[in-house]
Amino acid sequence: MVQLNEMIGLPVVKNEVEEFVAMAEMNKRREDQGLANTGMTLHSLFLGNPGTGKTTVARIVGKILYQKGIVASDKFVETSRTDLVAGYVGQTAIKTREKLEEALGGVLFIDEAYTLANGSDNDFGSEAINEILKFMEDHRDDLVIIFAGYTDNMTDF
C-alpha cells in the first residue's frame, strides 16, 4: 500500500484498491475460519487512457494480494492478444490455456483486452475469451485476472 500511496494523484483508484483489498482480506479470514464469504470475485477491469498507471497499479495490487496471503504467489504475468490468439483453429485455446496456467496462483494482466473481441467472424479472439472465462470461473480462488484497456473500448468488450 505504501507504493500505491506514493503515486501522485489517483485518489479514487487508491480508495478503490483499499476497499477491494479490505473485502478480499475479510473474505480470506472468513474462509480460514470456516465461514461463508461474500462470493466476491477478485477479477477486475482497469480502465483508462494510456499513461494513467493501469499496469503499474495492477502490479502493485498483485504484490498487495500476495503480501496479504490472498493469492499464493507473487507471480505477475503480463499478456496481450498476441500471446493468446493463434492463427489456426484449435491453437488459440491451447495458447491461451498455457498463459493462464503460467499465471496460476498469482495475477494475469491482459493489456488492451478489448482487442480480443475486435476481430472478424474468422478471428480466434472469441476462442481466447471463452477459454479465459471458463478458466477464471474454474480457478476463481487460484488466480486473479485483470483486464485493462481504454474506457470506451472496454465498455464494448
Side-chain angles (χ1 to χ4, degrees), residues 51-68:
T52 54
K54 296 179 298 292
T55 306
T56 302
V57 171
R59 284 188 185 116
I60 292 170
V61 166
K63 289 178 188 176
I64 293 168
L65 294 175
Y66 172 67
Q67 288 173 350
K68 301 282 186 179

Side-chain angles (χ1 to χ4, degrees), residues 34-123:
L35 302 170
N37 64 32
T38 64
M40 168 188 152
T41 180
L42 297 176
H43 307 304
S44 302
L45 294 173
F46 281 24
L47 311 176
N49 292 327
T52 54
K54 296 179 298 292
T55 306
T56 302
V57 171
R59 284 188 185 116
I60 292 170
V61 166
K63 289 178 188 176
I64 293 168
L65 294 175
Y66 172 67
Q67 288 173 350
K68 301 282 186 179
I70 297 163
V71 294
S73 168
D74 65 347
K75 280 191 259 182
F76 183 87
V77 177
E78 188 174 343
T79 192
S80 65
R81 177 186 170 86
T82 308
D83 301 317
L84 302 173
V85 177
Y88 300 98
V89 174
Q91 290 181 328
T92 293
I94 294 166
K95 199 173 181 183
T96 300
R97 170 140 323 228
E98 286 172 355
K99 198 53 80 169
L100 289 161
E101 288 174 351
E102 178 185 342
L104 208 52
V107 174
L108 177 66
F109 180 78
I110 304 176
D111 200 13
E112 297 180 11
Y114 58 86
T115 61
L116 294 172
N118 283 354
S120 66
D121 290 339
N122 298 338
D123 184 73

Side-chain angles (χ1 to χ4, degrees), residues 14-40:
K14 292 173 185 176
N15 187 50
E16 290 290 325
V17 169
E18 284 179 20
E19 288 180 22
F20 174 79
V21 170
M23 183 66 82
E25 273 187 297
M26 182 192 70
N27 277 333
K28 177 79 170 130
R29 280 194 210 115
R30 291 182 60 82
E31 187 178 295
D32 291 346
Q33 295 174 5
L35 302 170
N37 64 32
T38 64
M40 168 188 152

